Amino acid sequence: MSVASVPFSFGRLGLIAGNTFLEAVRQKLFNFLLLLAVGLVASAQFFREFNFGSSELKFIADFGFGALIFFGSALTIATTAQLFFSEIENRTALTLLAKPLWRAEFVFGKFLGVFAVIGVFCALTIGLMIALLWHREGQLMVINPDDFANGRLIAYGDLLIVGLLQWLKFGVLTAIVLLIASFSNTNLFTVVTGFFVLVICHLQYLARDQWSNVDNVLLAGTVRVLSLVFPNFQLFNLADEIGQGAGVSGEVALRVAGYGVAYIAVIGGLAVYSFRNREI
Amino acid sequence: MRFDPAALRPFRTGAIVLLGLLGAGIALRPLEAPAWTEVRAKQPALRLDSLKDALGQGVTVGLLGGFRAIVADLFWIRTNALWEKYDLPGTQTSIKLVTAIDPRPLYFWLNGSRMIAYDMPNWRIDKAGGYDVVPDAAKRRFDEEQSSIAIKFLEGALGFHPENPLLVLEIGNIHLNRLKDVETASRYYLRASRHPDAPYYAARIYAELLRRLDRKRDAYDFLKSLHPTLPKNDEMAQARVVLDRIRELEGELSIPEDARYRE
């Protein structure tokens, strides 16, 4: 039976996603990075003596999001590459794809499995950060009641929104790593390229800034094209707005979420197209 | 040798992927642009002029990873270690690096500018032979040069914290205490006092500076307009002190009894 003779199945996609999720949570890497991130967030209160610039609560939030973004990015890239190539290297991909299974089901199954793992990571890290901030804010409210005359300072809903947006960003990163893996021959190449793309996506807005100041038309055009090819990851970074002014704007958060979901769909689709053209 | 069209397949795939990404970038611009404008307006640290000083200093991963606050704090500790050694170029560079990494906290800008304007002229005098040896003209030149660097640094801070009264006051303080330029200092105090979050003392000191400039009538008029705006039960507002100064000025200006300020 050929793939063309069976319709696309969410059941099969779900099976691959579930299997990928189980495989990922059994990995030492996931547990190690999760432990490191959770340890770092929990230790934020011991680092608060280092806090010179911002308020103590802002510092703990910054520190927590730092751990989330840093370890989340590392986990996303390493896990996606490892799980994809383990199928290729163990030849299980050959067995799977010899059956009536769409490559789209395989790629999006892998995506959903990793996305779920990253979701667990984000939920645990954000949950711990919220608990820590809530506890410390409660202590400070007793020590300095005048500073909290209008109630709690931290908008905990904003923390959840920013955490959700970071999760979506990791989703875009997962799709990018899958796209790279779809044509790459080695795990190492995928991981290294994934990290480079992460840096580029975070800094691409600087290229746009420079582009507006460049006189050379050819160079300006090249920079502009490059800035359009890579998604803008800095857009997802709304953590700075927590506890400032009106906080995180709902409209901006929705736009950023839409941007993330659209990119996941497009890059995921391109990964499927590229994987279909690959000889396994 | 026969040409195999299949050999071009990877290039075709790559080109289609790139075109797909470019198309997505163009199609999603209308969704991204308004959100990006708003995100950026609220995050001064995202500017190129801020980041270009920080990039390449081994802190890129920290910045990308979101550890902006902790990286800046660690560099601030390094700044203080250099400051203790009277390392002028090192301290100055490190101060700029800290504010490039995290321009949000006023603490770094204020304390950094104080190191530059108040401590560094003394280091330069010590290095040139000490207070007894260095001529007054050279001392003055050191003060002017360091003050100019500090003022430029604080003006840079105003780019990140527009019209922040504490930064404006700090510029005024340098003009007043280091450059002994009361006239310019008074303009900064006035500018700071007009901000709704300005500390009460900004307006009081402005009036005092007007007195020192022998503009007693202006000081009197200013204090008269200031006094009714001060809350009576806020100790920081010092409404009583302001009233006392109004009375002193009325005496000095020989204001007739019937024309005097009434509470």
Side-chain angles (χ1 to χ4, degrees):
Chain A
M1 197 189 282
S2 71
V3 173
S5 63
V6 292
F8 183 89
S9 161
F10 284 100
R12 287 195 298 270
L13 189 148
L15 276 175
I16 291 177
N19 213 40
T20 305
F21 177 80
L22 284 178
E23 228 179 295
V25 291
R26 286 181 193 138
Q27 277 184 349
K28 283 179 190 157
L29 180 76
F30 171 72
N31 294 309
F32 177 67
L33 287 179
L34 182 66
L35 207 69
L36 266 180
V38 165
L40 204 62
V41 174
S43 66
Q45 58 176 334
F46 302 114
F47 283 97
R48 64 178 187 240
E49 298 301 323
F50 277 97
N51 168 26
F52 304 110
S54 38
S55 77
E56 187 183 327
L57 295 171
K58 179 85 181 127
F59 179 80
I60 294 174
D62 274 1
F63 203 80
F65 276 112
L68 174 78
I69 294 167
F70 187 80
F71 292 110
S73 303
L75 183 69
T76 303
I77 294 170
T79 307
T80 310
Q82 199 172 339
L83 290 172
F84 188 90
F85 279 97
S86 69
E87 298 276 14
I88 308 270
E89 283 158 14
N90 297 334
R91 308 262 170 200
T92 43
L94 277 176
T95 317
L96 272 172
L97 295 170
K99 295 179 185 303
L101 176 81
W102 288 44
R103 291 208 179 189
E105 291 167 0
F106 181 81
V107 171
F108 277 106
K110 285 279 160 209
F111 169 81
L112 285 179
V114 175
F115 196 47
V117 170
I118 304 298
V120 171
F121 173 85
C122 289
L124 286 173
T125 316
I126 294 282
L128 180 67
M129 188 163 64
I130 287 175
L132 203 70
L133 281 167
W134 185 272
H135 171 70
R136 185 60 192 155
E137 195 174 25
Q139 285 180 330
L140 291 174
M141 285 170 94
V142 175
I143 299 166
N144 307 312
D146 292 349
D147 293 347
F148 297 87
N150 299 322
R152 289 187 177 267
L153 296 175
I154 299 285
Y156 289 89
D158 284 357
L159 285 176
L160 286 175
I161 291 171
V162 175
L164 200 70
L165 292 178
Q166 284 303 325
W167 183 40
L168 276 177
K169 187 189 87 178
F170 294 140
V172 180
L173 186 59
T174 307
I176 289 172
V177 177
L178 280 173
L179 175 62
I180 298 165
S182 69
F183 60 79
S184 158
N185 286 325
T186 65
N187 188 351
L188 183 67
F189 175 83
T190 309
V191 169
V192 171
T193 312
F195 270 107
F196 278 128
V197 173
L198 172 72
V199 173
I200 292 169
C201 289
H202 266 291
L203 297 182
Q204 61 102 298
Y205 73 94
L206 295 178
R208 278 193 216 172
D209 280 5
Q210 279 301 85
W211 158 66
S212 57
N213 301 324
V214 172
D215 292 331
N216 185 322
V217 180
L218 191 69
L219 188 63
T222 310
V223 174
R224 185 166 190 212
V225 167
L226 282 175
S227 73
L228 286 168
V229 163
F230 294 99
N232 180 4
F233 276 1
Q234 210 66 46
L235 187 66
F236 294 84
N237 191 12
L238 302 182
D240 274 5
E241 293 174 27
I242 290 173
Q244 285 183 4
V248 177
S249 149
E251 193 204 328
V252 170
L254 273 178
R255 277 182 182 277
V256 176
Y259 180 78
V261 171
Y263 254 117
I264 288 172
V266 171
I267 300 174
L270 291 170
V272 172
Y273 170 75
S274 171
F275 191 51
R276 281 174 65 184
N277 285 295
R278 178 186 178 138
E279 301 269 350
I280 297 179
Chain B
M1 201 167 80
R2 287 184 61 192
F3 172 69
D4 180 10
L8 287 177
R9 203 165 69 171
F11 297 103
R12 198 187 60 199
T13 308
I16 289 174
V17 166
L18 274 178
L19 281 175
L21 288 171
L22 184 62
I26 294 166
L28 291 173
R29 277 294 279 164
L31 190 66
E32 180 205 359
W36 179 235
T37 308
E38 202 166 320
V39 168
R40 207 155 187 209
K42 290 181 183 172
Q43 296 184 32
L46 293 181
R47 289 186 203 160
L48 177 64
D49 54 355
S50 164
L51 275 174
K52 73 182 177 190
D53 291 329
L55 294 174
Q57 300 285 334
V59 298
T60 316
V61 174
L63 296 183
L64 296 180
F67 287 114
R68 189 179 295 279
I70 188 83
V71 172
D73 286 346
L74 292 173
F75 271 91
W76 183 249
I77 292 173
R78 195 188 77 156
T79 305
N80 280 272
L82 292 166
W83 175 79
E84 281 179 355
K85 291 178 194 161
Y86 305 142
D87 177 353
L88 191 147
T91 309
Q92 213 157 274
T93 307
S94 196
I95 290 167
K96 284 184 181 165
L97 180 60
V98 170
T99 50
I101 294 169
D102 194 355
R104 296 169 298 174
L106 285 180
Y107 178 93
F108 295 143
W109 293 105
L110 295 174
N111 287 287
S113 71
R114 285 169 193 163
M115 286 177 184
I116 296 170
Y118 297 95
D119 301 332
M120 290 181 185
N122 298 324
W123 300 354
R124 290 179 69 178
I125 292 166
D126 277 343
K127 203 174 175 188
Y131 280 86
D132 299 333
V133 177
V134 177
D136 285 345
K139 287 180 195 165
R140 176 78 189 160
R141 185 167 55 80
F142 291 153
D143 266 341
E144 284 173 357
E145 285 173 0
Q146 289 307 131
S147 296
S148 158
I149 295 168
I151 289 168
K152 203 173 162 196
F153 177 71
L154 287 165
E155 281 167 351
L158 285 170
F160 296 102
H161 304 275
E163 282 308 300
N164 184 291
L166 295 179
L167 291 170
V168 177
L169 280 175
E170 201 59 38
I171 298 177
N173 282 337
I174 293 171
H175 280 289
L176 184 65
N177 300 321
R178 297 308 297 188
L179 299 173
K180 313 294 180 199
D181 180 354
V182 181
E183 173 73 45
T184 310
S186 71
R187 285 204 297 271
Y188 279 100
Y189 274 93
L190 176 64
R191 184 173 148 189
S193 71
R194 284 175 175 156
H195 195 280
D197 295 330
Y200 292 114
Y201 66 80
R204 284 201 306 274
I205 295 180
Y206 170 65
E208 280 307 294
L209 294 180
L210 289 179
R211 283 176 83 175
R212 278 170 64 176
L213 287 165
D214 212 24
R215 289 166 56 190
K216 290 179 183 171
R217 185 77 222 186
D218 290 341
Y220 177 62
D221 291 341
F222 181 79
L223 288 175
K224 273 200 311 179
S225 64
L226 173 69
H227 186 259
T229 66
L230 298 174
K232 301 287 178 285
N233 48 2
D234 187 342
E235 208 174 300
M236 303 299 282
Q238 302 264 331
R240 189 72 237 168
V241 171
V242 171
L243 187 63
D244 289 346
R245 285 182 188 166
I246 290 172
R247 296 293 174 236
E248 280 173 30
L249 282 164
E250 282 170 341
E252 287 171 27
L253 292 165
S254 308
I255 308 275
E257 199 64 44
D258 56 339
R260 291 192 170 192
Y261 174 72
R262 289 180 211 288
E263 280 184 80

